[in-house]
Amino acid sequence: SNMRKVKSYHNEAQFYRYLAPVLNHLTEEKKIQCHVPKAYKIEDDDTSFTFLLSDLSDTFHCRSLSGRQENEQTIEFLAAFHAAFYLYEIPESMWRDGGYWHLQTRWDEWESISEPIFKTSAKAVDDFMRNDTEFHTLVHGDFKEANILFGDSVCGVVDYQYTGLGY
């Protein structure tokens, strides 16, 4: 699990190097509203990681994802995020299995499933989602309330460790 964590930081460095600039450019051009931190400095090697990122808290704030406005903002962010990368070539350095919660990281849980139909179904769904790439795009990988900051009419999102290809 430590090696996966280290790889996740390398993956996040790749996101800020190659993909965040795409989103920032499209947002500045007002083609989408997809606010992500800008990277001023990225250093990653085998043993250390340095990310110097812009601070979204000047414009965005932590709020509960409980109201209609917050829910609409997050859906609009996700739609723009996924659309921006649906046709964009994702660098090979990004994870091919985006997300934290997929079967390749959860074999212990899969083994503990007692109902055969659920076990078989989990494997079938995972195989399908990994192998049928027609509708793959970039996924955030850990999209949750703690990683979303809200502005007046749009949101910003942080934490791109588990970003990669997926549905």
Side-chain angles (χ1 to χ4, degrees):
S1 92
N2 184 58
M3 285 309 299
R4 179 166 166 76
K5 182 63 80 172
V6 169
K7 287 180 183 179
S8 76
Y9 291 126
H10 285 296
N11 191 63
E12 187 168 22
Q14 296 304 307
F15 172 81
Y16 283 117
R17 260 190 205 103
Y18 302 114
L19 303 177
V22 172
L23 294 174
N24 286 318
H25 174 74
L26 291 171
T27 298
E28 288 165 8
E29 295 287 318
K30 303 211 183 300
K31 294 181 179 172
I32 62 172
Q33 290 294 310
C34 217
H35 298 273
V36 302
K38 292 178 183 165
Y40 297 117
K41 181 178 183 177
I42 302 168
E43 293 178 2
D44 63 320
D45 58 37
D46 292 340
T47 59
S48 67
F49 303 90
T50 302
F51 302 135
L52 179 59
L53 306 172
S54 62
D55 184 359
L56 294 182
S57 68
D58 291 344
T59 307
F60 302 97
H61 309 285
C62 293
R63 279 202 315 251
S64 174
L65 182 60
S66 59
R68 180 181 178 130
Q69 178 181 354
E70 289 82 6
N71 283 285
E72 288 176 356
Q73 288 175 3
T74 58
I75 290 169
E76 288 171 6
F77 177 93
L78 284 173
F81 185 84
H82 297 311
F85 294 111
Y86 181 65
L87 297 175
Y88 186 86
E89 188 171 336
I90 307 301
E92 286 293 321
S93 58
M94 295 300 296
W95 275 349
R96 301 291 101 183
D97 290 320
Y100 188 79
W101 302 102
H102 55 82
L103 197 52
Q104 300 304 310
T105 64
R106 297 286 170 238
W107 288 116
D108 290 343
E109 289 89 340
W110 184 79
E111 286 290 342
S112 70
I113 297 172
S114 60
E115 292 291 327
I117 187 70
F118 294 140
K119 198 172 206 173
T120 302
S121 297
K123 181 79 170 85
V125 168
D126 186 71
D127 287 345
F128 176 82
M129 291 181 71
R130 287 173 8 98
N131 296 315
D132 181 6
T133 60
E134 181 180 3
F135 299 108
H136 273 187
T137 186
L138 197 69
V139 296
H140 179 275
D142 193 21
F143 197 78
K144 60 186 178 188
E145 187 176 55
N147 293 332
I148 306 167
L149 302 168
F150 294 97
D152 292 334
S153 60
V154 295
C155 68
V157 176
V158 298
D159 189 4
Y160 291 88
Q161 277 179 267
Y162 299 103
T163 300
L165 289 176
Y167 273 88

